[in-house]
Amino acid sequence: MKCHNYDRKSLSDVMLGTAGIRETIASTEYDSLDVLPANMSLLSTDRSVLLDTTKPQQTRIRNALKEVQNDYTFCVIDCAPLVRSLIYTPGA
């Protein structure tokens, strides 16, 4: 399964609040391994999140992950170093 795709929901949608985390998570060909896909739109999302003062940037991913915290043992976040809104996510 190809997870990197601009036609499906991604982490950007979760960060912007336009999609829920459950509808965005994708299964893989490996048992017990799901992914929350991301693509290069995450860079523009990062800027939008930083400029949005209505919701704290530091809690967006943490709050989204709370919805699925009992479904998974581990959460690994892999993103480009310049995605500041994910780097500064305490408790994620």
Side-chain angles (χ1 to χ4, degrees), residues 30-49:
Y30 302 100
D31 290 337
S32 301
L33 179 65
D34 295 337
V35 296
L36 181 58
N39 53 40
M40 292 305 290
S41 66
L42 196 54
L43 295 174
S44 62
T45 297
D46 184 51
R47 182 163 192 234
S48 297
V49 167

Side-chain angles (χ1 to χ4, degrees), residues 6 11 24 32 39-40 43 46 48 59 63 69-70 73 80 90-92:
Y6 286 99
L11 178 58
T24 308
S32 301
N39 53 40
M40 292 305 290
L43 295 174
D46 184 51
S48 297
T59 60
N63 291 340
Q69 70 182 356
N70 294 323
T73 305

Side-chain angles (χ1 to χ4, degrees), residues 51-66:
L51 294 174
D52 181 1
T53 59
T54 62
K55 290 191 242 178
Q57 67 194 30
Q58 298 86 352
T59 60
R60 291 179 190 220
I61 191 70
R62 180 177 58 194
N63 291 340
L65 289 171
K66 283 181 182 179

Side-chain angles (χ1 to χ4, degrees), residues 7-35:
D7 296 327
R8 64 173 292 138
K9 300 290 183 187
S10 72
L11 178 58
S12 292
D13 297 294
V14 174
M15 295 290 294
L16 293 172
T18 59
I21 195 166
R22 286 195 187 278
E23 69 183 283
T24 308
I25 291 174
S27 299
T28 67
E29 60 192 65
Y30 302 100
D31 290 337
S32 301
L33 179 65
D34 295 337
V35 296

